[in-house]
Amino acid sequence: MVNSLDNNPPHQVVIVGGGFGGLYAAKTLAKAAVKVTLIDKRNFHLFQPLLYQVATGALSPADISSPLRSVLSKSKNTKVLLGEVNNIDPEAKQVIVGDEAIAYDTLIVATGAKHSYFGKDNWEEFAPGLKTVEDAIEMRSRIFSAFEAAEKETDPEKRRAWLTFVIVGGGPTGVELAGAIAELANQTLKEDFRNIDTSEAKILLLEGLDRILPPFAPELSQEAEASLTRLGVVVQTKTLVTNIEDDVVTLKQGDEVKEIAAKTVLWAAGVKASAMGKVLAERTGAECDRAGRIIVEPDLSIKGHPNIFVVGDLANFSHQNGKPLPGVAPVAKQEGEYVAALVQNRLAGKNLPPFAYTDHGSLAMIGHNSAVVDLGFIKLKGFVAWLFWLVIHIYFLIEFDNKLVVMIQWAWNYFTRNRGARLITGKETLTEFVISDRKNYSADNKQPINV
Amino acid sequence: MVNSLDNNPPHQVVIVGGGFGGLYAAKTLAKAAVKVTLIDKRNFHLFQPLLYQVATGALSPADISSPLRSVLSKSKNTKVLLGEVNNIDPEAKQVIVGDEAIAYDTLIVATGAKHSYFGKDNWEEFAPGLKTVEDAIEMRSRIFSAFEAAEKETDPEKRRAWLTFVIVGGGPTGVELAGAIAELANQTLKEDFRNIDTSEAKILLLEGLDRILPPFAPELSQEAEASLTRLGVVVQTKTLVTNIEDDVVTLKQGDEVKEIAAKTVLWAAGVKASAMGKVLAERTGAECDRAGRIIVEPDLSIKGHPNIFVVGDLANFSHQNGKPLPGVAPVAKQEGEYVAALVQNRLAGKNLPPFAYTDHGSLAMIGHNSAVVDLGFIKLKGFVAWLFWLVIHIYFLIEFDNKLVVMIQWAWNYFTRNRGARLITGKETLTEFVISDRKNYSADNKQPINV
């Protein structure tokens, strides 16, 4: 039970994870009569909804990242710790970071999710996902070096494979990636190559269900598919991926099995709980769902541990409508803010009703000036949806200079149809990188890069 | 001898390197009656003078980089090739890229310079230099994780070592780095940490000669040193580094030998020719200087090979005033433009006088609003020099969106005393990275990163 306010050592809140869940919990506690310690293994908060723009060269990582210390520097009750929580001791009320034990009165775990390859972890090296800055930079390298490799390739079949891009997963991330790569091929890079016509690139978007953007209203899924098709993307629903190798993807549509020769495969299909999920479950006896997420109580706490809360993608909250809330930023944000408010209320001897998510809608950008926005009572599409999408994303970017830089960069990209951030970084020389098997990183004795 | 213009296959110019020398040669040839192939191992041109701002978290790599294809896309006679030149065959007039031979009528080699550790190559892992984007990101990681490590360190001596930064080399790069780190410590990060006072950081700038900024007028060197000292930098001239290990730097001042406990050492001291220098010398019999640079003729060609030119940091041009022109951007730019003009003139049956560098002056930024500018007849310092420095750098950035983004970012950084790009990237978890020996990268089975 959370202690009522007294004159003794102030209530210590430890937050693990500086994403939408953890950071908004910390911000909500900024002026509370508690001490807050935020622990993250990175020194910045990442605006994940725009990661696909880093992966397709439109923005830089720093444009969508905010140093945690900077965001929280004015919160004098808040300390930021760069570290990774290895273990939790619920009896002693401590988290273990390296060889240091940090005591808590309230613990908020917000470590998010990571990619899931549905058990086929060996697919990871052939199909990077998009959860971290390094993921985005790896994707970016692969996308742009595919065009470079095609430019040098004399064998027409191999060139076609270099110009074939497969995106697995028809949710917002996959849809936004597919649209962005189509624009790269058809507009941005069109004048830049001499041996290839980049608009001959084939972009496939694969979705296992019967329509893309499953959380959206059906007419918007249809609109999105039509927009993507106009952009040149081939959308294939009811399609499952059964194997991924270095240059071929195997699909299953109904009873039919197909092989696609593709050198670039991008993963936007499955997520599972971060490693903390397992640690939490073992230490607290909490139940997990099939994706490893912690099943939480109506107040987002763990059953039997009213002072340990889980928010964001790591939590499975099904009390509102019978199925778990989706792993999206607004859910994490509201959950983090709720738990922070709850802690303050309880310290003052009060309580709050159970958590209730306010769904303001979903949005996905399709391409240059088209999007779909599902606000429930209103559905937008096309240009007005696209403007709405821009405004919402700018609004939620945390630092003002990020807002300004992203606005400028987007205005520029829009008017010039160009993309300002399409570096291939991470290797000093790319010759072997693009020509041979991508896993052969031995050129110049450079180690494999995961950046 | 360069062929005069005729109706046969157009004159083929091959340019190796897309830096200031190579890129400006290509731009100058954009409308010439020649075919141009620009070969670079990276897909972008890097504005090196601002690399130190990436290293200190003020700018992102993309803000100072321009995709080569994009810059040259309108030059319909120009092809960009991503690759590394392994060899040259002057008899057959070909360069070898991988297993491909590319023929030339005129060859312009502009591959630049790389770090030199004066023979002590083992120092490289302890003291990164600043020539590439990856270098800058490595430096950035080390600088920011040093503060993070200090925040967690309980042993006062070890904490002091984490808060000690040694910059080796008092030229413009070293001076600009030192000033930027001092600002980080004294302003930007001041409110961000709870256990340490970042302004207690000790920043040492070591220079072997008797003053910093040796190419500048003496009174400006003095001004720069005074500015740096006001910022809290300890400037030590007539100081040579004799050894660098993971946490200690050994110096020699006169007869005195000193050891400094420092976890972060940054190299801005020596450069030598890129690897192409050796290849060229072996294949053409060209003479090199002690740093491996090719000694060129008054028209920047190689003796005995009037159709092979060397421009930029790889060239040693001493015909103007007896000593080699410095390895700075304006020299490379003018040399590249000269050779391009020369090729066009000769094709038209004309000639040009020998190359003559027009020295417009030197500039170095000291800190937040201070710089020194030596224009020969005019010397500027303080705030007006700083404004001049900003304008010149914006002017020479190649892409308009870069100019705009950098201006905005600088305006923001200036008014908020903040830095928008201080991510520590490249490792998923930094716990072991910051606490133990930096070479122990075995945490999470991640490979050593050189990004």
Side-chain angles (χ1 to χ4, degrees):
Chain A
M1 183 98 23
V2 172
N3 290 331
S4 57
L5 197 59
D6 58 18
N7 279 340
N8 286 342
H11 190 91
Q12 177 74 37
V13 179
V14 169
I15 303 173
V16 187
F20 279 96
L23 186 58
Y24 279 90
K27 278 155 74 75
T28 309
L29 288 172
K31 296 198 175 2
V34 299
K35 283 227 166 288
V36 180
T37 300
L38 179 82
I39 307 171
D40 197 308
K41 19 180 230 190
R42 312 311 302 277
N43 72 326
F44 55 90
H45 162 80
L46 177 66
F47 193 78
Q48 284 190 37
L50 287 179
L51 255 187
Y52 85 95
Q53 292 222 3
V54 175
T56 53
L59 292 177
S60 294
D63 298 339
I64 63 168
S65 309
S66 309
L68 289 167
R69 294 186 179 286
S70 193
V71 175
L72 296 170
S73 70
K74 293 198 169 40
S75 310
K76 292 306 171 195
N77 66 339
T78 302
K79 211 158 71 163
V80 174
L81 206 62
L82 184 73
E84 192 170 7
V85 172
N86 309 116
N87 217 336
I88 296 176
D89 186 341
E91 265 77 67
K93 299 206 290 181
Q94 287 177 343
V95 293
I96 315 299
V97 181
D99 48 17
E100 199 183 341
I102 297 173
Y104 64 82
D105 294 305
T106 295
L107 175 64
I108 305 175
V109 183
T111 53
K114 57 187 183 188
H115 308 122
S116 163
Y117 291 88
F118 305 130
K120 303 273 170 60
D121 286 341
N122 59 305
W123 289 356
E124 182 166 18
E125 63 174 295
F126 305 118
L130 196 61
K131 270 276 163 209
T132 65
V133 165
E134 287 74 14
D135 287 345
I137 292 177
E138 175 65 19
M139 260 201 198
R140 179 177 75 183
S141 282
R142 292 191 186 206
I143 292 168
F144 288 102
S145 48
F147 288 103
E148 294 288 347
E151 173 83 342
K152 300 172 80 145
E153 182 57 68
T154 46
D155 177 340
E157 253 193 66
K158 291 183 179 170
R159 193 188 312 136
R160 245 191 318 274
W162 278 115
L163 287 174
T164 302
F165 299 82
V166 175
I167 294 118
V168 184
T173 303
V175 164
E176 292 177 330
L177 263 178
I181 296 175
E183 290 205 321
L184 270 179
N186 298 329
Q187 292 166 16
T188 317
L189 301 179
K190 211 160 157 41
E191 300 298 311
D192 284 8
F193 292 85
R194 304 285 175 253
N195 300 338
I196 59 172
D197 177 357
T198 57
S199 62
E200 284 176 7
K202 198 160 137 205
I203 297 134
L204 266 74
L205 177 63
L206 309 178
E207 166 56 42
L209 296 178
D210 63 348
R211 59 186 173 106
I212 56 174
L213 297 181
F216 287 58
E219 60 263 41
L220 290 179
S221 294
Q222 221 173 351
E223 172 62 31
E225 181 165 344
S227 289
L228 281 175
T229 308
R230 267 194 304 272
L231 277 179
V233 176
V234 175
V235 178
Q236 305 208 315
T237 52
K238 297 193 236 182
T239 301
L240 296 170
V241 168
T242 55
N243 198 27
I244 306 178
E245 284 172 28
D246 176 55
D247 41 19
V248 68
V249 179
T250 316
L251 334 164
K252 191 156 161 325
Q253 289 168 325
D255 290 325
E256 213 183 319
V257 171
K258 276 200 209 156
E259 282 194 350
I260 314 261
K263 295 293 283 184
T264 309
V265 184
L266 308 174
W267 189 261
V271 288
K272 63 186 180 193
S274 48
M276 270 297 283
K278 219 168 167 195
V279 173
L280 257 185
E282 283 171 6
R283 297 281 167 267
T284 65
E287 263 191 81
C288 295
D289 66 12
R290 276 177 46 191
R293 292 177 298 187
I294 303 286
I295 296 174
V296 293
E297 300 286 280
D299 66 354
L300 293 163
S301 66
I302 290 182
K303 195 179 176 93
H305 293 83
N307 60 345
I308 302 182
F309 298 88
V310 184
V311 301
D313 290 6
L314 185 58
N316 176 324
F317 182 91
S318 305
H319 301 279
Q320 191 160 346
N321 48 24
K323 43 183 203 129
L325 291 177
V328 294
V331 169
K333 177 177 184 290
Q334 290 184 27
E335 288 178 348
E337 291 167 333
Y338 171 87
V339 170
L342 183 64
V343 167
Q344 292 183 72
N345 271 273
R346 288 186 178 168
L347 281 173
K350 298 187 281 189
N351 210 340
L352 281 183
F355 173 67
Y357 172 59
T358 309
D359 188 346
H360 295 297
S362 307
L363 26 153
M365 176 182 283
I366 312 298
H368 194 70
N369 45 20
S370 175
V372 288
V373 175
D374 189 348
L375 302 175
F377 52 100
I378 292 181
K379 296 168 185 21
L380 305 174
K381 56 185 200 189
F383 190 71
V384 64
W386 179 75
L387 281 179
F388 187 88
W389 186 100
L390 290 179
V391 168
I392 290 291
H393 281 75
I394 297 269
Y395 180 76
F396 281 105
L397 274 170
I398 290 194
E399 284 180 304
F400 184 69
D401 66 331
N402 281 359
K403 297 181 203 271
L404 206 51
V405 165
V406 169
M407 273 195 288
I408 304 278
Q409 197 69 70
W410 281 351
W412 180 252
N413 292 348
Y414 182 77
F415 289 111
T416 63
R417 305 263 173 135
N418 207 337
R419 275 158 198 273
R422 38 199 244 235
L423 318 183
I424 301 173
T425 55
K427 275 192 68 58
E428 296 282 350
T429 170
L430 284 167
T431 313
E432 283 74 17
F433 177 76
V434 296
I435 290 188
S436 69
D437 182 348
R438 279 202 174 105
K439 298 318 292 172
N440 178 20
Y441 285 113
S442 58
D444 288 351
N445 295 321
K446 289 278 187 285
Q447 301 291 339
I449 310 280
N450 190 28
V451 173
Chain B
M1 184 104 14
V2 173
N3 290 331
S4 57
L5 198 59
D6 59 17
N7 279 339
N8 286 342
H11 190 91
Q12 177 75 36
V13 180
V14 169
I15 303 173
V16 186
F20 279 97
L23 186 57
Y24 279 90
K27 279 156 73 78
T28 309
L29 288 171
K31 298 203 175 359
V34 298
K35 284 226 166 286
V36 180
T37 301
L38 178 82
I39 307 172
D40 197 307
K41 17 179 233 191
R42 313 310 302 278
N43 72 326
F44 55 90
H45 162 80
L46 177 67
F47 193 79
Q48 284 189 37
L50 287 179
L51 255 187
Y52 84 96
Q53 291 222 2
V54 175
T56 54
L59 292 177
S60 294
D63 298 339
I64 61 169
S65 307
S66 308
L68 288 166
R69 294 185 179 287
S70 194
V71 175
L72 296 170
S73 71
K74 293 200 169 39
S75 310
K76 293 305 171 195
N77 66 340
T78 302
K79 210 156 74 161
V80 175
L81 207 62
L82 184 74
E84 191 170 9
V85 172
N86 310 115
N87 217 334
I88 297 175
D89 187 341
E91 266 76 68
K93 299 205 291 182
Q94 287 178 344
V95 292
I96 316 298
V97 181
D99 47 17
E100 199 183 340
I102 298 174
Y104 64 81
D105 294 305
T106 295
L107 176 64
I108 305 175
V109 183
T111 54
K114 57 188 182 188
H115 308 122
S116 164
Y117 292 87
F118 305 131
K120 303 273 172 55
D121 287 340
N122 59 304
W123 289 356
E124 182 166 19
E125 64 173 294
F126 304 119
L130 197 61
K131 269 274 163 213
T132 66
V133 164
E134 288 73 16
D135 286 344
I137 292 178
E138 175 65 19
M139 261 200 197
R140 181 178 73 184
S141 282
R142 292 191 187 208
I143 292 169
F144 288 101
S145 48
F147 288 103
E148 296 287 347
E151 174 83 342
K152 301 172 79 145
E153 181 56 69
T154 46
D155 177 339
E157 253 193 66
K158 292 184 181 171
R159 194 189 311 136
R160 245 192 318 274
W162 279 116
L163 287 175
T164 302
F165 299 82
V166 175
I167 295 118
V168 185
T173 304
V175 164
E176 292 177 330
L177 264 177
I181 298 176
E183 290 206 322
L184 270 179
N186 297 329
Q187 292 166 18
T188 317
L189 301 179
K190 211 161 157 40
E191 300 298 311
D192 284 7
F193 292 84
R194 304 285 175 253
N195 300 338
I196 58 171
D197 178 356
T198 57
S199 63
E200 284 176 7
K202 196 160 138 207
I203 298 134
L204 265 75
L205 177 63
L206 309 178
E207 166 57 41
L209 296 177
D210 63 349
R211 58 186 172 105
I212 56 174
L213 297 181
F216 287 58
E219 60 264 41
L220 290 178
S221 296
Q222 220 174 352
E223 173 63 31
E225 181 165 342
S227 289
L228 281 175
T229 308
R230 268 195 304 273
L231 276 180
V233 176
V234 174
V235 178
Q236 304 208 315
T237 52
K238 298 194 236 180
T239 301
L240 295 170
V241 168
T242 54
N243 198 27
I244 306 179
E245 284 172 31
D246 176 53
D247 41 18
V248 68
V249 179
T250 316
L251 334 163
K252 191 158 163 320
Q253 290 169 327
D255 290 325
E256 212 182 319
V257 170
K258 276 198 210 160
E259 282 193 350
I260 314 261
K263 295 292 284 184
T264 309
V265 184
L266 309 174
W267 189 261
V271 288
K272 62 185 180 193
S274 48
M276 270 297 283
K278 220 170 167 193
V279 172
L280 257 185
E282 284 170 7
R283 298 279 169 269
T284 65
E287 264 191 82
C288 296
D289 66 10
R290 277 178 44 190
R293 293 179 297 187
I294 303 285
I295 298 173
V296 293
E297 301 287 280
D299 66 353
L300 293 163
S301 67
I302 289 181
K303 194 181 177 92
H305 293 83
N307 60 345
I308 302 182
F309 297 88
V310 184
V311 301
D313 290 6
L314 184 58
N316 175 324
F317 182 91
S318 306
H319 302 279
Q320 191 161 345
N321 48 23
K323 40 180 207 137
L325 291 177
V328 294
V331 170
K333 176 178 184 288
Q334 290 183 26
E335 287 178 348
E337 291 168 331
Y338 171 87
V339 170
L342 184 63
V343 167
Q344 293 183 72
N345 271 273
R346 287 187 179 166
L347 281 174
K350 298 187 279 188
N351 209 341
L352 282 184
F355 173 69
Y357 172 58
T358 310
D359 189 345
H360 295 297
S362 308
L363 24 154
M365 176 182 283
I366 311 300
H368 195 72
N369 45 21
S370 174
V372 289
V373 175
D374 188 349
L375 302 174
F377 53 99
I378 293 181
K379 295 168 186 23
L380 305 174
K381 57 185 199 190
F383 190 72
V384 64
W386 178 76
L387 282 179
F388 187 88
W389 185 101
L390 291 179
V391 167
I392 289 292
H393 280 76
I394 298 267
Y395 180 75
F396 281 105
L397 274 170
I398 290 193
E399 283 180 307
F400 184 70
D401 67 330
N402 281 0
K403 297 180 202 274
L404 205 52
V405 165
V406 169
M407 272 194 289
I408 303 278
Q409 197 70 70
W410 281 351
W412 179 252
N413 292 348
Y414 181 76
F415 289 111
T416 63
R417 304 268 174 131
N418 208 336
R419 275 156 198 273
R422 39 200 243 235
L423 318 183
I424 301 174
T425 55
K427 275 191 69 56
E428 295 281 351
T429 170
L430 285 167
T431 312
E432 283 74 14
F433 178 75
V434 295
I435 290 188
S436 68
D437 182 348
R438 279 201 173 105
K439 298 320 291 171
N440 178 20
Y441 285 114
S442 59
D444 288 353
N445 294 322
K446 290 278 187 288
Q447 300 292 340
I449 310 280
N450 191 27
V451 172

